[in-house]
Amino acid sequence: MQNKLLTILIIFVFFALPGRSQEITQTLRGRLVDAYTELPLPGATIVIVGSEPLKGTTANLDGEFRFENLPVGRLDIQASMMGYKPNILQNLLLSSGRELVVNIRLEEKVYVLKDVEVRPEIRKDQ
């Protein structure tokens, strides 16, 4: 009888403990700036690539952003803003020892257009 009770207790403890363990999380924060002027980029979008559900945020007026309670491990982030080339930081290591701080520089997206020709409309009768 005691062996059965001890076996049931061991099985209960073995299966109950993993369900109660907490997932280790950490904070990721950083700043987004223009690559050439180094001015902050407020309103830029930052997403955790491959997160389910998709986690994202926007930069504040100083170009700063923050993610809290991210599971530790390797992750990729993508920063983008209208008029700038997207920048992907891959294989970042988020460890439990301290928060991860990244600085992201976005380059302007330059569009090259064809020549524009302006011709006046000349009316000889006036």
Side-chain angles (χ1 to χ4, degrees):
M1 177 72 175
Q2 282 185 333
N3 285 341
K4 284 185 179 181
L5 187 59
L6 184 62
T7 305
I8 292 172
L9 182 63
I10 289 173
I11 291 173
F12 177 74
V13 170
F14 180 73
F15 286 112
L17 285 180
R20 294 185 171 266
S21 65
Q22 292 181 346
E23 184 177 13
I24 299 173
T25 61
Q26 191 52 268
T27 300
L28 166 67
R29 66 181 175 92
R31 188 166 189 248
L32 279 148
V33 295
D34 183 281
Y36 300 107
T37 64
E38 298 202 6
L39 291 172
L41 297 174
T45 304
I46 305 95
V47 295
I48 308 293
V49 178
S51 60
E52 190 62 40
L54 188 63
K55 294 181 183 179
T57 188
T58 57
N60 65 15
L61 291 175
D62 296 322
E64 297 172 346
F65 65 92
R66 180 179 197 89
F67 289 98
E68 294 183 351
N69 300 324
L70 292 175
V72 297
R74 300 219 176 255
L75 54 88
D76 301 337
I77 61 173
Q78 177 178 354
S80 58
M81 184 171 183
M82 184 178 278
Y84 288 86
K85 296 176 187 176
N87 189 356
I88 299 175
L89 300 177
Q90 298 179 329
N91 213 16
L92 298 173
L93 179 59
L94 189 62
S95 62
S96 63
R98 61 187 165 120
E99 67 184 11
L100 181 60
V101 180
V102 293
N103 292 312
I104 304 172
R105 300 164 57 104
L106 295 181
E107 292 182 22
E108 286 186 72
K109 189 185 297 184
V110 179
Y111 294 99
V112 179
L113 303 175
K114 293 182 179 181
D115 295 336
V116 176
E117 186 176 321
V118 178
R119 291 185 185 177
E121 182 178 316
I122 300 172
R123 295 181 58 185
K124 294 185 179 187
D125 61 335
Q126 292 182 346

